[in-house]
Amino acid sequence: MDFNVKKLASDAGVFFTRAVQFTEEKLGQAEKTELDPHLENLLAKADSTKNWTEKILRQTEVLLQPNPSARIEEYIYDKLDRKLPSRTTNAELLGQFMLDAAKEFGADTPYGTTLITVGEYQRKLGGAEREFLHTAAVTFLSPLRNFLEGDWRTISKERRLLENRRLDLDICKARLKKAKQAEAKAAATPDFQETRPRNYVLSASASALLSEEVDKAELELRVAQTEFDRQAEVTRLLLEGISSTHLNHLRCLQDFAEAQATYFAQCHHYMQDLQRELNRCANSAVGPPPPSGAGSDPVPTAFPSGRLSPGASGSRKAKVLYDYDAHDTSELSLLADEVITVYTVPGMDPDWLVGERGNEKGKVPVTYLELLS
């Protein structure tokens, strides 16, 4: 193996010296250089951003894909940089099961017809869900992952380098302090046998060595201080970019909320249409009302009571929530947001009320109304 033994030994020595300095700091046996308060605040803000971004990312993944096995599969495909195969949503699968069941039971039967209707809308719901999942992954999950796997890794690398520079600085400070203490001690306790020429030469040589050691320690300290200041500035510039990260995540969050709103609006629209379809199927199954005789009430005798007048429960005002098209002459067409008078009659289906609007009168579905006090 081709490697530099001297460099390896030097790196091992630096690592050991840093480990000793770090341990002594933890034990309170060595001084520690404190970072600038502004830099400390930036570090705390960065740590908080990283921790909460991880939590929001993980919980969003759980929200969008509750199946742990599917999440693991998505993670593997993402790490392999391969496109994830299209996966059928649960709603689409349910819709397909309903359509297959309708074929077996008979598409011309009431149950089969209803299965087809509901199944088609379940497939529409599943398609809307798949589109929402794709949009959320692109506009929200990907930017959060990019921050954690890109920007944050760069920040962490520079932070580790800053910590090493700080340890080197404190090591140099301790080394200079020890050199000065040794020099002062030598000056305070002179050699009393300096009268001998040989001892005098040795004493002068030791003093020169101590002085040289102090000069060397001061030079190393200046170099370490310069490197520490440079690394602190680099780290500070990176950490100040966290504010830009917050703005980017804010835009991503708005896009995510907009995608959710669009998805739920689509689901609400599909369910409204499904409700109308089911009501139409139910009315068709009952069959057309019998023709009324001359001079009878304008509303046919599909109502249990011969007269359409407020019963014992009394009449109330109701606001129409959605448009409704009457399927026969016994029903009253409705327009969203209009206010009508409604009441019930004895023996009437609880899912329906009698509605009046001016001179018009007919059955109206309860689910389309909001009763007013």
Side-chain angles (χ1 to χ4, degrees), residues 104-354:
E104 184 169 340
F105 296 146
D108 55 345
T109 64
Y111 184 40
T113 302
T114 306
L115 280 173
I116 292 176
T117 302
V118 177
E120 289 293 343
Y121 278 96
Q122 289 298 325
R123 295 179 65 179
K124 291 181 180 180
L125 291 173
E129 180 184 1
R130 192 186 323 107
E131 182 179 354
F132 165 62
L133 294 178
H134 174 72
T135 303
V138 172
T139 62
F140 190 59
L141 294 182
S142 292
L144 296 187
R145 289 197 190 99
N146 291 339
F147 166 72
L148 293 173
E149 298 176 0
D151 295 347
W152 181 252
R153 287 186 178 180
T154 302
I155 291 174
S156 299
K157 177 183 177 182
E158 297 300 329
R159 285 181 67 177
R160 289 192 298 268
L161 190 55
L162 176 63
E163 179 65 10
N164 289 337
R165 294 290 180 263
R166 185 197 64 76
L167 289 171
D168 293 341
L169 176 62
D170 289 336
I171 291 170
C172 291
K173 288 181 178 179
R175 186 177 298 154
L176 176 60
K177 183 178 179 181
K178 291 178 180 179
K180 287 185 175 181
Q181 288 176 347
E183 184 182 36
K185 182 178 179 181
T189 57
D191 189 347
F192 290 102
Q193 299 185 14
E194 288 182 1
T195 54
R196 294 184 179 182
R198 182 172 179 274
N199 290 339
Y200 179 78
V201 172
L202 291 175
S203 178
S205 176
S207 177
L209 288 174
L210 290 174
S211 179
E212 182 180 347
E213 188 68 23
V214 170
D215 293 341
K216 180 181 178 182
E218 288 178 345
L219 177 61
E220 291 177 349
L221 178 60
R222 286 194 295 270
V223 173
Q225 185 70 57
T226 301
E227 293 181 350
F228 172 77
D229 293 340
R230 184 186 300 113
Q231 186 58 37
E233 181 66 16
V234 171
T235 307
R236 182 185 63 81
L237 292 175
L238 284 174
L239 292 174
E240 288 178 346
I242 291 294
S243 298
S244 300
T245 299
H246 285 188
L247 292 177
N248 182 40
H249 289 182
L250 170 61
R251 290 189 291 268
C252 295
L253 188 60
Q254 291 172 339
D255 292 340
F256 177 67
E258 183 179 352
Q260 267 191 317
T262 302
Y263 167 61
F264 289 129
Q266 286 180 321
C267 292
H268 179 67
H269 175 71
Y270 288 146
M271 294 311 297
Q272 280 185 309
D273 292 344
L274 175 59
Q275 195 174 42
R276 294 191 186 99
E277 290 290 340
L278 293 178
N279 288 333
R280 186 176 294 111
C281 291
N283 293 331
S284 300
V286 172
S292 57
S296 63
D297 196 284
V299 180
T301 57
F303 297 104
S305 174
R307 292 180 65 250
L308 293 179
S309 59
S313 60
S315 61
R316 297 179 62 178
K317 294 292 184 180
K319 179 182 178 181
V320 179
L321 300 176
Y322 322 110
D323 292 344
Y324 178 74
D325 296 327
H327 298 100
D328 53 50
T329 56
S330 69
E331 298 179 7
L332 179 66
S333 295
L334 303 173
L335 295 176
D337 296 329
E338 70 173 331
V339 178
I340 63 175
T341 301
V342 295
Y343 55 87
T344 186
V345 293
M348 190 174 185
D349 188 333
D351 292 333
W352 295 81
L353 291 173
V354 179

